Amino acid sequence: MSPPNQTSDNHQTFFTLTGIPGMPEKDFWLALSLCLLYSTTFLGNVIILAIKVERSLYEPMYYFLAMLAATDLSFSLSSMPTMVSVHWFNVSSVTSDACLTQMFFIHTFGGVESGVLVAMAYDHFVAIRFPLQYATILTHSVISKIGAAVLLRSVGAVLPVPFLIKRLPFCHSSILSHAYCLHQDAMRLAYADTHVNSIYGLLAVIFIIVLGALILLVSYILILQAILGIASKEERLKALNTCLFHICAVLLFYVPLIGMTLIHHYGKHLSRVIHTFMADIYLLLPPVLKPIVCSVRTKQFDSGLSSCSVRAGLALNGTYYFCAYAIESEKGTKCSTVQHKFLKKWKCSISLLFNTVVTGHT
């Protein structure tokens, strides 16, 4: 007789995804929040990529910004299929192959983001320490090699993970803790010894996340030394100001990750809602906030933002109608007046923020 979560003919394993504990299966405000988060993430990061292409910003800094935007967009989209499936359509079952594929992309793009942040730290160090040789050190060829190395490092470290999970038998309980697939979440459901998975997962985290954090720490020690070596106080402040976006991006990546890790290991007595909430923050919030911080801190994007303002307005209108239509379809009824007002306020808030950035950071 086959285990409960396998079919008798092809032994295909199914996992059951879970939403937020205590929430209704279909909740308007949760569906709306997801729609707005994903739409804002898509809009913000695509605008950064569009500006990079349109304005022909060839400085290394903008190549790394484009890499970060593409990584954030990919990282966010990796979780979207199952998040939408669970919270909009109440479809919680996913095959093992689909789960392992999503697991690979989520962990891979998380590793890529860590690598891009390290590359940006190196970019800042070279710009401050060797300003005259900046363009000759970070050539297009060097930037391409850095990007390829970052991607290959993450893919190489994460690639064995799905195969290590695939070999494990899954019997009885197959209910995951989140609305998406993570390695540690699937591993705990295995009906077998998982020491190999645990050791490899720890080594992968050390190689990608911990090593990246240590390199960032050393980089900023060297950057601070270079800044303190500048004679003019005004020039020191100017050099430090160029690092503010990168510092914010590092904090947005590592703080939710550290918080989620600490709660996972030391907060087992806490409510499942807190575990789910922290994991969702790590996955959904940083890709939304980074484009906003980038647009505020990077003044060279102002002219590019102006050229994109019309299309951004059209995109906001399209997002508004898409969210309203999608939620009405999911509910089977039209949105109420209050719900439409909430959507309009969101659209106005994003428009106001966008216009503030365009008109000079007022």
Side-chain angles (χ1 to χ4, degrees):
M1 182 175 178
S2 298
N5 62 333
Q6 296 179 342
T7 58
S8 57
D9 50 352
N10 60 2
H11 301 285
Q12 175 67 62
T13 303
F14 288 86
F15 291 102
T16 301
L17 304 169
T18 56
I20 298 177
M23 293 289 289
E25 291 181 348
K26 291 186 177 183
D27 181 75
F28 167 80
W29 297 108
L30 182 58
L32 177 62
S33 299
L34 281 176
C35 180
L36 299 186
L37 280 171
Y38 280 118
S39 300
T40 307
T41 297
F42 182 81
L43 181 63
N45 287 288
V46 166
I47 285 176
I48 290 177
L49 291 172
I51 292 172
K52 170 65 188 74
V53 173
E54 285 192 7
R55 302 301 299 177
S56 299
L57 300 172
Y58 294 120
E59 291 184 29
M61 168 187 175
Y62 301 108
Y63 284 104
F64 291 125
L65 280 177
M67 290 181 193
L68 187 63
T71 303
D72 278 332
L73 187 60
S74 302
F75 184 61
S76 183
L77 292 178
S78 297
S79 65
M80 188 177 71
T82 52
M83 290 283 280
V84 170
S85 173
V86 171
H87 294 296
W88 279 18
F89 304 109
N90 196 30
V91 177
S92 57
S93 181
V94 61
T95 65
S96 62
D97 291 338
C99 186
L100 294 177
T101 301
Q102 184 184 54
M103 181 190 304
F104 170 77
F105 282 112
I106 288 177
H107 291 300
T108 295
F109 288 120
V112 170
E113 182 154 356
S114 174
V116 172
L117 291 174
V118 170
M120 293 178 74
Y122 175 68
D123 168 69
H124 285 300
F125 171 72
V126 173
I128 294 171
R129 183 69 179 81
F130 307 104
L132 298 180
Q133 294 84 28
Y134 179 60
T136 56
I137 294 175
L138 288 174
T139 62
H140 290 178
S141 174
V142 171
I143 294 171
S144 300
K145 290 176 182 177
I146 290 174
V150 166
L151 180 62
L152 290 175
R153 181 193 73 145
S154 184
V155 170
V158 177
L159 187 59
V161 169
F163 296 101
L164 289 174
I165 292 290
K166 184 77 172 177
R167 69 184 179 87
L168 298 174
F170 290 91
C171 303
H172 310 302
S173 175
S174 61
I175 301 176
L176 298 173
S177 303
H178 307 290
Y180 40 84
C181 299
L182 298 176
H183 172 245
Q184 62 271 25
D185 197 18
M187 180 181 65
R188 68 179 180 82
L189 299 176
Y191 194 67
D193 181 62
T194 58
H195 280 89
V196 174
N197 293 68
S198 298
I199 293 172
Y200 186 82
L202 178 61
L203 292 175
V205 169
I206 293 173
F207 178 63
I208 296 177
I209 305 299
V210 178
L211 181 61
L214 291 175
I215 294 175
L216 284 170
L217 179 61
V218 173
S219 298
Y220 267 96
I221 291 174
L222 297 175
I223 288 171
L224 286 175
Q225 288 179 344
I227 290 174
L228 293 175
I230 300 174
S232 169
K233 180 180 179 181
E234 182 180 345
E235 290 298 320
R236 286 200 298 269
L237 292 175
K238 183 178 178 181
L240 187 60
N241 187 59
T242 61
C243 300
L244 288 180
F245 164 69
H246 182 253
I247 293 172
C248 292
V250 170
L251 292 176
L252 284 171
F253 177 74
Y254 277 99
V255 170
L257 177 60
I258 293 171
M260 181 182 69
T261 304
L262 290 176
I263 287 179
H264 176 74
H265 285 286
Y266 302 108
K268 298 186 185 299
H269 62 284
L270 297 175
S271 169
R272 276 190 57 216
V273 176
I274 297 178
H275 287 262
T276 304
F277 183 68
M278 284 302 301
D280 289 347
I281 285 179
Y282 164 69
L283 210 62
L284 299 176
L285 201 58
V288 174
L289 296 180
K290 284 176 194 170
I292 297 174
V293 177
C294 174
S295 63
V296 172
R297 296 306 316 167
T298 311
K299 293 184 178 181
Q300 290 87 337
F301 273 108
D302 287 354
S303 56
L305 283 168
S306 299
S307 67
C308 291
S309 59
V310 175
R311 274 166 290 179
L314 292 174
L316 281 172
N317 284 321
T319 301
Y320 164 74
Y321 288 112
F322 167 75
C323 288
Y325 172 77
I327 294 166
E328 285 173 0
S329 299
E330 185 263 343
K331 290 175 61 182
T333 59
K334 288 188 175 295
C335 293
S336 66
T337 303
V338 174
Q339 293 162 353
H340 272 298
K341 283 183 178 179
F342 183 86
L343 278 171
K344 288 179 180 179
K345 285 182 180 180
W346 168 82
K347 185 177 72 171
C348 291
S349 299
I350 298 297
S351 298
L352 179 61
L353 175 64
F354 187 84
N355 291 329
T356 299
V357 173
V358 171
T359 53
H361 314 290
T362 56

